[in-house]
Amino acid sequence: MAGREEKTGSANRVLRISQLDALELNKALEQLVWSQFTQCFHGFKPGLLARFEPEVKACLWLFLWRFTIYSKNATVGQSVLNIQYKNDFSSNPRYQPPSKNQKLWYAVCTIGGRWLEERCYDLFRNRHLASFGKVKQGMNFVVGLLKLGELINFLIFLQKGKFATLTERLLGIHSVFCKPQNMREVGFEYMNRELLWHGFAEFLIFLLPLINIQKLKAKLSSWCIPLTGTASSDSALACSGRECALCGEWPTMPHTIGCEHVFCYYCVKSSFLFDMYFTCPKCGIEVHSVQPLKSGIEMSEVNAL
C-alpha cells in the first residue's frame, strides 16, 4: 500500500522544468501586457507614464492576480502546463486549494514587494541627504538578504523539486497537477533513429568538402573504360582536338595538359586554379603543365573540317 502511494506521488509530482517554465511564461505574459498597455499611450506626451509607472504596473498585476491565482488557484503559465497551487499546510491528503489569506499574502509579497522596490529606487535615486542615504543603505541591505534567501531557496528547490520561489515556501503553497498524470511508456526507437541519421548527416557534411569529386569521377571512368594506350603524338592530338574535354564545345585557344585530350584555355585554367590536383576528366591524368596546342595541329584540324 505504501509503495503504491509512493508511485502515485512520484507520478503526480511536478517536474522542476515545468515549474520553471511556468515562471518564465508568467514573466513573458507580464512583458506582453505592459508593452500592449504602453502602446495605448504612444500618441501622448513622452514620459507620461514614467512618473506613475510603479503604480500602473501594480494595478495591472493586481488585475492579472484577481483572474488567475485568486479565482483559478494558478497563474497563466501554470494553467498552460496543467499546474495549480495546493495548500501545503493542510493535513487532508486530498487536494486543498490555497486559502484566501494565502492568496492575499501572495499578492502582497509579489506585487507589493516589486512596487515597493521600484518606488523606493525612484524615491532615493535623486536624494543625497544623509538621512535618505541611511534609509537607502538599509533598503539595499534588506533587498540583498531577500536575494540571498531566493538563491538558497532555489538551490533547495533544485535538490528537492518543491517550492520554486521563496514566496511559495513562506506561504506554504506548492505546485501540483490539476489532473493525475498517467505513467507513459516512451519508446526511444524513433529518437535513436533520428539521432543516428542526424549524426550521419553531420559526418557527410564534414566529409564531402574533403573529397575531390572530379578526381574520383575520373578514376572511376578510367577503371570502367580502360585505356588502350597513351597516345601522345601530334596525330592523336589532332584527332581528339575537335571538342573541349570539359565543356564539349569547339576548343577556344586550345591547350593540353600532357594527355591526348584538348581543352579550352579558360576551362582548364579555371579548373586548375580551383583545384591544384585537377585531373583530366577523360583519362584521369594529373595536370603537370598547361601547354598551348601546336598551331600546325590546330590548322590541320581546321582544314580537315
Side-chain angles (χ1 to χ4, degrees), residues 194-255:
E194 289 297 321
L195 290 174
L196 178 63
W197 281 110
H198 182 70
F200 182 68
E202 287 187 347
F203 176 73
L204 288 181
I205 293 173
F206 170 77
L207 184 63
L208 286 178
L210 305 178
I211 299 177
N212 191 336
I213 304 297
Q214 192 173 10
K215 186 175 181 180
L216 181 61
K217 182 180 178 180
K219 286 290 184 182
L220 293 177
S221 61
S222 64
W223 291 343
C224 297
I225 306 176
L227 298 176
T228 57
T230 304
S232 59
S233 61
D234 292 348
S235 59
L237 284 173
C239 294
S240 61
R242 297 180 180 178
E243 65 178 17
C244 175
L246 287 174
C247 65
E249 302 293 335
W250 180 269
T252 304
M253 299 175 62
H255 280 64

Side-chain angles (χ1 to χ4, degrees), residues 21-23 25-27 29-30 33 64-65 67-69 72-83:
D21 285 342
L23 295 177
L25 288 173
N26 295 333
K27 294 179 182 178
L29 175 67
E30 291 177 357
V33 171
L64 292 177
W65 167 83
F67 293 98
T68 55
I69 295 179
K72 298 182 179 180
N73 304 320
T75 62
V76 176
Q78 290 176 332
S79 300
V80 172
L81 299 175
N82 192 29
I83 301 172

Side-chain angles (χ1 to χ4, degrees), residues 57-239:
K57 283 186 176 180
C59 293
L60 290 176
W61 307 157
L62 279 174
F63 180 80
L64 292 177
W65 167 83
R66 172 60 182 83
F67 293 98
T68 55
I69 295 179
Y70 188 82
S71 59
K72 298 182 179 180
N73 304 320
T75 62
V76 176
Q78 290 176 332
S79 300
V80 172
L81 299 175
N82 192 29
I83 301 172
Q84 61 184 358
Y85 278 129
K86 178 184 178 181
N87 188 354
D88 197 59
F89 292 151
S90 177
S91 58
N92 193 341
R94 295 183 178 181
Y95 171 75
Q96 292 294 328
S99 63
K100 187 176 181 180
N101 291 331
Q102 287 176 321
K103 296 177 183 179
L104 292 175
W105 278 109
Y106 183 90
V108 171
C109 294
T110 56
I111 303 173
R114 282 188 293 178
W115 170 82
L116 183 62
E117 182 180 359
E118 294 179 4
R119 178 48 64 194
C120 290
Y121 176 77
D122 293 338
L123 182 62
F124 300 137
R125 181 172 52 183
N126 299 321
R127 303 285 183 173
H128 301 286
L129 299 178
S131 58
F132 284 102
K134 293 180 180 180
V135 175
K136 184 178 180 181
Q137 291 180 358
M139 290 295 300
N140 292 334
F141 180 75
V142 173
V143 172
L145 288 180
L146 291 176
K147 298 296 182 183
L148 179 61
E150 290 178 357
L151 175 60
I152 296 174
N153 177 79
F154 184 73
L155 295 177
I156 299 175
F157 165 74
L158 292 179
Q159 181 182 8
K160 298 184 178 181
K162 194 175 181 181
F163 303 118
T165 62
L166 183 61
T167 303
E168 295 178 4
R169 186 175 296 276
L170 294 177
L171 298 180
I173 54 177
H174 68 278
S175 300
V176 295
F177 283 113
C178 299
K179 298 179 181 179
Q181 301 294 306
N182 298 326
M183 294 295 293
R184 297 182 298 173
E185 295 182 0
V186 181
F188 294 96
E189 291 81 3
Y190 174 77
M191 186 180 298
N192 293 335
R193 184 166 61 252
E194 289 297 321
L195 290 174
L196 178 63
W197 281 110
H198 182 70
F200 182 68
E202 287 187 347
F203 176 73
L204 288 181
I205 293 173
F206 170 77
L207 184 63
L208 286 178
L210 305 178
I211 299 177
N212 191 336
I213 304 297
Q214 192 173 10
K215 186 175 181 180
L216 181 61
K217 182 180 178 180
K219 286 290 184 182
L220 293 177
S221 61
S222 64
W223 291 343
C224 297
I225 306 176
L227 298 176
T228 57
T230 304
S232 59
S233 61
D234 292 348
S235 59
L237 284 173
C239 294

